C-alpha cells in the first residue's frame, strides 16, 4: 500500500499527517499506525493524525498515539491546523473537531494558538496533581527536572492501579512565577516525548497563578510554549489557549 504523508512537529512532538478527506486510510489497522510511527522500520513519529472532512466544522482531526490508541493531542492539533492551512482548508482562523470536542484555533505564519476545553477543577493525588485537559495528566513537582529519572518514574505512575486506562505523567520544575520547565512521559508513546501540549497545559493550570487572566511560559526539551487562561473561583479554568510553533518537516510517500 502506498501512502502519501507530511511530517510535522510542534516543539519536537512529531506526527505523520495524512490528508484523509477521501476517507481511504484504514484507521482500524492499528498495526499499520504502529509501523508508520516506528523510528527504524517506518517513518518515525509520536503519533499519526488524519485530517477528515466534517459537515459542521472546517475539518476533523483524528489522532492516534504510536501504539494505535486515541486521545486528544494538543501539539498534534496545532500541527493539524498548520497542515489544514497548507492544504488550503483554512486561512487565519478555524473551528475543527477533535476527540474531546470542538476547538477554535488561530494561525499566523507558523505560530498556532489553540483553544483548549474548559477545565472546571484539578485533583490532588497525595503530593501530586491530576488534571484532564482533553487527555489525562498526572503532575509531579520536582527540583531538578533535567536530571530526574522521567522514564523510570513515569512508567510507575502510568501503570499504577490508580489509572486503569493509563495516564500521561508530567514532571514540573518551577523556574519562577508563571515559568515552568516540563518533561512528559506519554501514554501511548510509552516513552518521554520532547513536549506534550495537553501536558504543558495541565502543568500551567496546576502550577500557574490563579488570577483572572495570566500567561504561563513553559520550557520543554523540544522548545518553548505558552498557555494563557482565565481562572474563576467558581467556574475554574476557562478561555485556555495553548500557543506555540507548528512546522512541516518533509513530505513523502511510503510503500508499506
Ligand atoms: N499520549 C497522549 C495523547 C497525546 C498527548 C500529547 N502528544 C499532546 O500534545 O497533547 C494520551 O494518550 O493521552
Amino acid at each position: 500500500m502506498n501512502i502519501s504523508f507530511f511530517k510535522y512537529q510542534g516543539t519536537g512532538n512529531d506526527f505523520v499527517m495524512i490528508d484523509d478527506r477521501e476517507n481511504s486510510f484504514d484507521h482500524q489497522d492499528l498495526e499499520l499506525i504502529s509501523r508508520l510511527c516506528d523510528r527504524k522500520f517506518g517513518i518515525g513519529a509520536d503519533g499519526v493524525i488524519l485530517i477528515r472532512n466534517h459537515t459542521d466544522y472546517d475539518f476533523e482531526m483524528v489522532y492516534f498515539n504510536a501504539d494505535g490508541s486515541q486521545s486528544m493531542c494538543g501539539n498534534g492539533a496545532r500541527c493539524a491546523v498548520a497542515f489544514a492551512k497548507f492544504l488550503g482548508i483554512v486561512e487565519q482562523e478555524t473551528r475543527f473537531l477533535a476527540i474531546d470536542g470542538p476547538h477554535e484555533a488561530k494561525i499566523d505564519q507558523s505560530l498556532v494558538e489553540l483553544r483548549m476545553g474548559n477545565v472546571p477543577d484539578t485533583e490532588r493525588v497525595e503530593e501530586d496533581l491530576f488534571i484532564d485537559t482533553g487527555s489525562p495528566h498526572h503532575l509531579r513537582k520536582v527540583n531538578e527536572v533535567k536530571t530526574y529519572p522521567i522514564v523510570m518514574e513515569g512508567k510507575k505512575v502510568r501503570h499504577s492501579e490508580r489509572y486503569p486506562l493509563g495516564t500521561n505523567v508530567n514532571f514540573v520544575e518551577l523556574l519562577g512565577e508563571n515559568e515552568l520547565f516540563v518533561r512528559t512521559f506519554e501514554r501511548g508513546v510509552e516513552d518521554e516525548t520532547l513536549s506534550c501540549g495537553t501536558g504543558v497545559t495541565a502543568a500551567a493550570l496546576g502550577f500557574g497563578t490563579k488570577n483572572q487572566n495570566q500567561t504561563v511560559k513553559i520550557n520543554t526539551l523540544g522548545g518553548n510554549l505558552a498557555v494563557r487562561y482565565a481562572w474563576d473561583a467558581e467556574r475554574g479554568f476557562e478561555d485556555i489557549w495553548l500557543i506555540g510553533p507548528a512546522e512541516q518537516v518533509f513530505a513523502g510517500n511510503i510503500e508499506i
Side-chain angles (χ1 to χ4, degrees):
M1 175 196 330
N2 185 288
I3 298 174
S4 296
F5 67 88
F6 291 82
K7 189 76 196 302
Y8 272 74
Q9 63 84 14
T11 49
N13 206 187
D14 64 337
F15 310 97
V16 173
M17 311 293 290
I18 294 172
D19 175 2
D20 192 34
R21 289 177 286 176
E22 305 295 322
N23 265 25
S24 56
F25 184 87
D26 180 3
H27 68 278
Q28 288 172 331
D29 185 345
L30 302 188
E31 205 277 324
L32 168 61
I33 286 167
S34 292
R35 280 211 320 276
L36 290 173
C37 291
D38 189 299
R39 295 192 187 279
K40 302 290 185 208
F41 297 102
I43 301 162
D46 292 329
V48 172
I49 296 177
L50 310 181
I51 297 295
R52 289 213 165 133
N53 285 322
H54 193 286
T55 48
D56 304 328
Y57 299 93
D58 293 337
F59 63 91
E60 179 180 11
M61 83 170 251
V62 185
Y63 171 81
F64 298 89
N65 284 308
D67 70 354
S69 59
Q70 286 188 263
S71 183
M72 169 55 185
C73 179
N75 287 330
R78 295 190 302 100
C79 289
V81 170
F83 186 39
K85 181 175 182 185
F86 170 78
L87 294 175
I89 300 172
V90 306
E91 289 177 8
Q92 260 65 43
E93 301 197 4
T94 180
R95 265 176 61 76
F96 66 95
L97 186 64
I99 194 168
D100 67 333
H103 289 266
E104 295 168 55
K106 300 171 190 163
I107 179 167
D108 177 15
Q109 307 294 338
S110 68
L111 190 72
V112 181
E113 296 196 18
L114 171 72
R115 186 167 187 169
M116 308 295 280
N118 291 341
V119 175
D121 52 23
T122 64
E123 190 183 333
R124 185 152 288 288
V125 180
E126 293 156 17
E127 295 301 303
D128 297 345
L129 287 173
F130 177 81
I131 303 178
D132 190 315
T133 51
S135 57
H137 288 277
H138 184 104
L139 300 135
R140 176 168 300 165
K141 189 162 72 169
V142 299
N143 291 325
E144 307 247 326
V145 75
K146 286 189 180 168
T147 56
Y148 194 84
I150 305 290
V151 175
M152 183 175 74
E153 293 302 319
K155 277 183 180 166
K156 282 183 201 166
V157 177
R158 180 259 185 274
H159 291 290
S160 65
E161 281 175 15
R162 178 182 183 79
Y163 299 113
L165 299 179
T167 183
N168 303 286
V169 192
N170 301 272
F171 301 93
V172 183
E173 181 177 343
L174 275 58
L175 302 178
E177 186 177 270
N178 289 335
E179 185 162 2
L180 311 172
F181 200 110
V182 180
R183 293 178 67 187
T184 306
F185 179 90
E186 266 200 53
R187 173 187 72 168
V189 179
E190 302 310 328
D191 200 349
E192 179 178 10
T193 55
L194 293 183
S195 77
C196 175
T198 49
V200 301
T201 302
L205 305 185
F207 298 101
T209 50
K210 305 287 185 294
N211 303 316
Q212 278 206 315
N213 289 287
Q214 51 272 297
T215 297
V216 178
K217 288 190 287 187
I218 296 115
N219 299 258
T220 73
L221 294 177
N224 298 330
L225 289 158
V227 175
R228 190 173 66 238
Y229 60 86
W231 179 78
D232 172 275
E234 300 295 314
R235 297 190 307 273
F237 301 95
E238 299 175 315
D239 200 21
I240 305 166
W241 293 82
L242 169 66
I243 302 153
E247 290 167 5
Q248 186 177 120
V249 185
F250 61 87
N253 279 282
I254 185 169
E255 192 61 45
I256 195 163

